[in-house]
Amino acid sequence: MTDKSHDPNQMTGAAMIVRALIDHGVQHIFGYPGGAVLPIYDEIFQQSEVEHILVRHEQGAGHAAEGYARSTGKPGVALVTSGPGATNMVTPLTDALMDSIPLVCISGQVPTHLIGNDAFQECDTVGITRPCTKHNWLVRDVNDLAKVLHEAFYVAMTGRPGPVLVDVPKDVQFATGTYHPPRKSDVHISYTPRVKGDATLIRKTVAMLASAKRPVIYSGGGVINSGPDASKLLRELVEVTGIPITSTLMGLGAYPASGPNWLGMLGMHGTYEANMAMHDCDVMLCVGARFDDRITGRVDAFSPGSKKIHIDIDPSSINKNIRVDVPIIGDCGNVLGDILQVFKAEAKKPDIKAWWQQIAQWRARKSLSYRKNNDIILPQYAIERLFELTRGKDTYITTEVGQHQMWAAQFFGVEEPHRWMTSGGLGTMGYGLPAAIGVQVAHRDSLVIDIAGDASVQMTMQEMSTAVQHELPIKIFILNNQYMGMVRQWQQLLHGNRLSHSYSEALPDFVKLAEAYGGVGIRAHKPADLDGAIKEMISVKKPVLFDCRVAALENCFPMIPSGKAHNEMLLPEEATDEATAKAFAGGKALV
Amino acid sequence: MNQPASAYFLEERHDPNETHTLSVLVQNEPGVLARVIGLFSGRGYNIDSLTVSETESQKHLSRITIVTTGTPMVIQQIKHQLDRMIPVYRVVDMTVTGQAIERELAMVKVRGGGDHRVEALRLADAFRARVIDATTESFVFEITGNSSKINQFIDLMRPLGLVEVSRTGVAAITRGPEGM
C-alpha cells in the first residue's frame, strides 16, 4: 500500500480497489494491463495477497474468471483496461449473464475530463456492458469507490448471481479519498432478492409430489449456484421421494450420474428416457432451471399433461417460456430444505412402480448407443475412455461448444457439483480453454480437462501461453474431426448437405503447436492407442494439447429437431436420410 | 408462415394484446432511464408512452410511467424484468389495480381565421382547454385529460388548422389514501 497519511483509510482509488479485493477474500484475479489501469497494476505490484494471472486476451481473463467462479462458488474477478480491454470483455460478461456466474469486472476508463471526447482507448463501457451485466457502475468520485466496489461484490453473489462491472476513470484511481470496509448500507435498498419460498406453495408442492403417478424432477444450474447444500438436499429429496431426475446441461453434477434415479440429461441432445419422461409426466418439479428453448423444444407440445412446479430465485424466469401451476420464488437450497422437511413430516413416497417400469422400457432403447469401430476412434468412445481412465480422480471438466460438448455431457458422468464448466446459454466457442485455466488456478493439484473441438479451441488458443507461464497443467482434449461438427451436422440435416465453410481448412499441427507454446503435444489415431495416450496425458505435469483424431463425419444423436416435441426425438439407429429429412422439414428457420 | 411453434415464436400465440400502464419507482442515478429503455428495446417490448421525472428529490427518487402493449404473459415478464433491476424500488401495474387515474397534458397549435378560429375556440372551451398563447392568426391550447380525450380534441382541431402538437405522455396515480 502506498498510503502516506495517518488515517489508514485514506488512500488512492487504485489502492482502494486492491484493498476491496482483499476485504472480499479475493486471492486471484485475471487481467491484462493497459494505459487506463496502470495505477491499479502499480498497486498490485506492491503487494502479495492478491495473485494476478496475466492472460493473453481479455476474453481469456473473463472466461478464466468464470471457470474459477463456477468451480469454487466464489466470485471470479477480471481486471481490464479501457476501450478494447473493455469491449473484449463483452463476450464473457454476456456468457456469465446467461449462465448466472458471479463475475466482478473492473475496467479502467479515460480520465473523467476526457470522457465523451473520443479520447484514445475511450469507449462507453457502461453503455456497452449495460445489457450484458446484472448491474454496472461508472465511478466519478473516489469517495464513492469503496461503496460501489462492495455493492458490486454483493450484487454479483446474491440473488440470481451474475456479472457486474465497475468502470473507474484513471484520475479516480490516482485521487485520494476515504475507504471503508464492506457494510450493509453499501447496497441499494431497492435490491432485495427473495430467498425463502412461500410456505403454502411448498405444502402444495409436497401434496402434488406425494400423490403423483408419473413425477419427474428437472433440475438446472440454479441448484449448483445455490451452493453444495442445495445439491445435497436435491439428492436427499430424490432418495426420500423415489422420483426420477433429469437435468439441464448447466445442472450436471447436482445429482450424480451414477445415481439410481438418474435419467441422463434432457433436451435437444438429451436421452430418450429423460425427454419421454418430461413429455409424459403428470407432475414436473423444475428446480433452478429456466425452460430454455434447448430444453422445451416445441413449446405448445411441451409436457402437455403435467402440473408444473417451478422453483427459481429470479421471478422473471417464471412463466417466461412455459406457464407453470406452482411458482415458488426463492433460493433452490432454501426451498428444497423446506420441501424436504414438510415431505418427511407429512407425506409418504408416491407409488410410482408403473412409472419406473415405463421408464425402464424407454431406457432399453439405449438412445446413446453407437456402433463400435476398431479402426477409427469414435468421439463417443474417446469420451467414454477419458471418463473411465479419470474415474476416481479429482477431476474438473470444462468444454468448448459444439458436438464434443454434447458428447461430453452424454458420456462423461459428472458426479459432483462445481465439477462441470460449460457455456450453456450463450454457447461461446473458446470458453473451455481459458475456463480450464481459471479452474486450475483455484485447484492447483486437481486434474483439469478441457474437452474441446478442433474449431472451438482455436478461438482462444493463445491462452496456452498463459497456462505455460503460470505452470497450470491443464489438459486440452481435442476431439479433432476437422470440422465445425455441429455446424456441419445442421448443414447436413437442414441445408441439403451443402457444407458451407464448416470444414477446418489448414488446421495447425496441434502437437507442434503445444511444443511451440512450451507445453506437451500428444496424438492418438487408433482406438488401440487411445488408453495409453490418455494415461500419458494424465501423468504429464504440464499443459497438454491432446490431438484425438476422431471419425470425421460422426453426428450427435439422439436429437430433438428444432420446433419438434420431446416425443419426436430422432434416435441414432432411426436417423436414416429419409427419416432425418422428414423430421427436419420446416425447421430451417429455427436455431 | 407455416413454421412449427417453438420458443422463438412466442408472439405466434393468439393471446390478445392488452395495454397496461406501469408506474416504476426508481433511484434517480445516471443511466437509470437508459436501463429501463434498453430493457424494452433489447427484449422487444413495446413502449406506447413513457414519462419520467424526479418526484422525491431528497431521496433521489424518480417515477417512470410506462404505457405498454403485449400479451398477458409478456406484460407479466415486463413487470418482473423491471422489478429485478437493481435501482428499481417498485413496479405497480396501474391497470390491474383498477383504481388509477391517468392524465396527459398536450399543447396544441392551431392556425386559421374566420369561422375556423371561432369554432376552435368554442371546442376548446367545451374540452376545458386553456389558451396559453394567441396571435391574430393562431392559438396554442393547453389541454389535460386522459389520452383518449386528447386524441379526440386533436382530431377535432385537424380540419380547423392544426399545426403541431406536443404531448407529455401519460402520468398515473392510484385513487384513495394509499401510495404506491
Side-chain angles (χ1 to χ4, degrees):
Chain A
M1 304 280 153
T2 53
D3 175 31
K4 291 188 182 72
S5 76
H6 293 299
D7 181 351
N9 284 330
Q10 286 294 309
M11 62 181 86
T12 64
M16 282 184 197
I17 289 170
V18 175
R19 174 72 77 83
L21 294 178
I22 294 166
D23 282 353
H24 287 276
V26 175
Q27 291 167 305
H28 301 97
I29 64 171
F30 303 87
Y32 203 100
V37 283
L38 285 176
I40 306 172
Y41 272 87
D42 203 22
E43 288 296 330
I44 288 172
F45 189 81
Q46 299 173 56
Q47 54 85 50
S48 55
E49 283 173 86
V50 179
E51 187 188 346
H52 178 270
I53 309 294
L54 176 69
V55 296
R56 297 298 180 269
H57 183 287
E58 286 86 355
Q59 185 189 355
H63 293 318
E66 284 188 271
Y68 186 89
R70 192 75 178 163
S71 67
T72 59
K74 294 194 280 190
V77 181
L79 174 60
V80 298
T81 193
S82 64
T87 55
N88 282 342
M89 274 301 292
V90 167
T91 300
L93 288 171
T94 311
D95 193 272
L97 186 70
M98 293 284 266
D99 287 344
S100 308
I101 310 293
L103 209 64
V104 177
C105 177
I106 294 161
S107 58
Q109 181 56 278
V110 301
T112 43
H113 71 273
L114 286 179
I115 290 178
N117 280 18
D118 297 331
F120 177 64
Q121 292 195 329
E122 182 190 354
C123 72
D124 177 9
T125 302
V126 285
I128 290 168
T129 60
R130 200 174 282 132
C132 59
T133 52
K134 186 172 169 188
H135 200 64
N136 62 11
W137 297 260
L138 169 64
V139 183
R140 287 171 171 275
D141 181 345
V142 69
N143 287 307
D144 295 335
L145 186 56
K147 174 184 156 49
V148 167
L149 289 167
H150 300 324
E151 183 175 25
F153 274 92
Y154 185 80
V155 168
M157 289 297 288
T158 52
R160 179 176 178 178
V164 297
L165 178 139
V166 182
D167 199 26
V168 190
K170 197 171 181 182
D171 55 329
V172 175
Q173 298 170 31
F174 275 126
T176 300
T178 311
Y179 178 81
H180 65 260
R183 59 189 183 204
K184 226 178 168 172
S185 60
D186 289 331
V187 181
H188 275 84
I189 51 172
S190 50
Y191 178 66
T192 49
R194 209 156 115 193
V195 172
K196 189 105 185 126
D198 182 281
T200 320
L201 295 178
I202 284 167
R203 217 157 270 278
K204 200 169 165 186
T205 300
V206 170
M208 283 163 72
L209 292 178
S211 62
K213 295 277 174 284
R214 303 184 308 279
V216 68
I217 296 176
Y218 146 46
S219 77
V223 179
I224 312 235
N225 275 335
S226 179
D229 283 350
S231 296
K232 274 192 210 124
L233 290 164
L234 180 71
R235 291 166 185 215
E236 198 182 340
L237 183 71
V238 171
E239 202 190 320
V240 168
T241 59
I243 296 176
I245 176 168
T246 177
S247 153
T248 65
L249 182 70
M250 294 308 294
L252 296 177
Y255 184 82
S258 60
N261 293 31
W262 178 239
L263 299 178
M265 182 178 76
L266 82 162
M268 186 172 271
H269 293 291
T271 65
Y272 185 68
E273 55 268 34
N275 285 329
M276 289 304 284
M278 287 290 280
H279 188 269
D280 284 4
C281 66
D282 66 346
V283 173
M284 178 190 297
L285 175 63
C286 168
V287 195
R290 58 184 176 90
F291 296 97
D292 169 78
D293 58 89
R294 281 294 179 275
I295 296 306
T296 59
R298 180 173 168 170
V299 283
D300 59 3
F302 175 74
S303 193
S306 64
K307 293 275 181 213
K308 299 172 188 74
I309 305 152
H310 188 181
I311 305 170
D312 205 299
I313 199 159
D314 176 7
S316 73
S317 284
I318 291 175
N319 286 334
K320 181 168 65 180
N321 300 328
I322 299 290
R323 274 175 228 263
V324 298
D325 303 278
V326 183
I328 304 180
I329 298 163
D331 171 67
C332 289
N334 197 296
V335 175
L336 283 172
D338 288 351
I339 290 176
L340 253 176
Q341 202 181 6
V342 178
F343 194 96
K344 282 198 232 167
E346 299 177 7
K348 279 203 317 236
K349 249 186 192 184
D351 177 15
I352 52 170
K353 227 175 268 158
W355 179 230
W356 274 114
Q357 280 163 5
Q358 172 66 67
I359 288 171
Q361 284 177 20
W362 289 328
R363 271 183 175 156
R365 297 285 295 270
K366 295 200 186 307
S367 62
L368 296 181
S369 59
Y370 60 92
R371 297 171 311 282
K372 304 278 185 254
N373 192 316
N374 291 327
D375 299 323
I376 40 175
I377 302 172
L378 288 173
Q380 301 94 322
Y381 176 75
I383 306 272
E384 273 188 333
R385 293 316 301 160
L386 184 68
F387 176 52
E388 282 305 322
L389 295 169
T390 56
R391 206 186 266 271
K393 294 193 191 307
D394 177 19
T395 310
Y396 291 83
I397 297 293
T398 71
T399 78
E400 311 287 338
V401 170
Q403 286 184 325
H404 68 273
Q405 178 190 29
M406 293 298 108
W407 282 316
Q410 291 171 341
F411 292 95
F412 199 102
V414 187
E415 292 293 305
E416 295 295 331
H418 301 292
R419 296 273 169 167
W420 167 256
M421 273 57 60
T422 192
S423 170
L426 193 64
T428 309
M429 291 171 72
Y431 167 89
L433 198 163
I437 287 176
V439 176
Q440 191 84 74
V441 165
H443 310 275
R444 285 273 175 178
D445 300 323
S446 304
L447 176 61
V448 182
I449 304 173
D450 169 28
I451 298 177
D454 53 272
S456 280
V457 75
Q458 290 191 79
M459 286 207 174
T460 48
M461 180 55 88
Q462 76 285 349
E463 301 306 332
M464 267 301 277
S465 186
T466 306
V468 170
Q469 181 193 339
H470 297 277
E471 296 177 352
L472 303 165
I474 54 170
K475 312 293 189 284
I476 312 302
F477 189 77
I478 304 169
L479 294 180
N480 182 355
N481 63 357
Q482 302 173 57
Y483 275 105
M484 293 159 213
M486 195 59 97
V487 172
R488 187 208 60 215
Q489 178 166 347
W490 280 57
Q491 288 172 336
Q492 289 175 304
L493 298 174
L494 289 157
H495 293 271
N497 205 25
R498 289 180 294 281
L499 307 187
S500 182
H501 299 274
S502 54
Y503 181 63
S504 296
E505 204 75 61
L507 271 182
D509 179 328
F510 285 115
V511 172
K512 282 188 185 157
L513 188 60
E515 286 161 3
Y517 276 116
V520 173
I522 299 174
R523 180 171 292 127
H525 285 280
K526 298 279 172 207
D529 307 334
L530 187 60
D531 279 19
I534 290 176
K535 283 180 193 156
E536 186 193 344
M537 173 185 86
I538 294 169
S539 65
V540 170
K541 297 290 175 243
K542 274 184 159 187
V544 176
L545 285 183
F546 189 115
D547 184 12
C548 185
R549 294 300 183 91
V550 298
L553 292 175
E554 192 67 12
N555 277 342
C556 197
F557 287 105
M559 180 174 188
I560 305 175
S562 276
K564 299 282 176 172
H566 277 174
N567 59 352
E568 299 176 279
M569 278 201 103
L570 208 57
L571 295 178
E573 76 272 17
E574 294 167 350
T576 60
D577 289 350
E578 197 191 340
T580 309
K582 198 164 156 251
F584 284 83
K588 206 185 256 187
L590 307 179
V591 293
Chain B
M1 286 307 284
N2 254 340
Q3 294 294 345
S6 96
Y8 291 92
F9 294 91
L10 277 180
E11 295 307 317
E12 294 284 303
R13 285 173 172 280
H14 293 296
D15 292 347
N17 277 345
E18 294 175 359
T19 298
H20 283 236
T21 305
L22 309 177
S23 279
V24 189
L25 202 60
V26 300
Q27 185 78 37
N28 186 13
E29 60 184 27
V32 66
L33 188 60
R35 284 181 209 283
V36 170
I37 292 172
L39 171 71
F40 276 76
S41 62
R43 293 189 182 262
Y45 306 142
N46 299 306
I47 298 180
D48 298 342
S49 156
L50 184 142
T51 64
V52 55
S53 186
E54 191 167 73
T55 50
E56 291 179 60
S57 62
Q58 276 177 339
K59 290 190 200 160
H60 298 291
L61 292 182
S62 284
R63 186 160 167 149
I64 303 175
T65 308
I66 305 166
V67 182
T68 182
T69 307
T71 63
M73 215 156 149
V74 168
I75 301 275
Q76 194 192 16
Q77 260 300 296
I78 292 173
K79 288 188 272 184
H80 286 322
Q81 293 286 358
L82 284 168
D83 211 11
R84 74 171 183 162
M85 296 184 131
I86 312 294
V88 170
Y89 283 84
R90 274 204 78 187
V91 180
V92 176
D93 187 336
M94 304 305 251
T95 306
V96 169
T97 58
Q99 294 281 317
I101 305 161
E102 292 181 13
R103 287 294 179 268
E104 192 180 354
L105 183 144
M107 288 182 276
V108 182
K109 186 176 284 183
V110 182
R111 180 179 193 164
D115 288 349
H116 280 180
R117 190 171 160 85
V118 177
E119 184 60 17
L121 211 51
R122 189 164 24 225
L123 283 166
D125 193 39
F127 276 77
R128 295 189 189 161
R130 291 200 302 140
V131 176
I132 53 174
D133 178 68
T135 68
T136 53
E137 51 174 338
S138 70
F139 287 119
V140 174
F141 297 114
E142 173 200 309
I143 178 169
T144 311
N146 58 31
S147 301
S148 63
K149 172 183 164 183
I150 292 174
N151 290 342
Q152 200 185 354
F153 182 71
I154 292 166
D155 285 346
L156 288 169
M157 287 301 122
R158 195 159 282 127
L160 302 178
L162 181 72
V163 178
E164 62 178 348
V165 181
S166 175
R167 297 172 73 150
T168 58
V170 172
I173 202 162
T174 52
R175 292 179 192 274
E178 305 300 329
M180 77 177 266

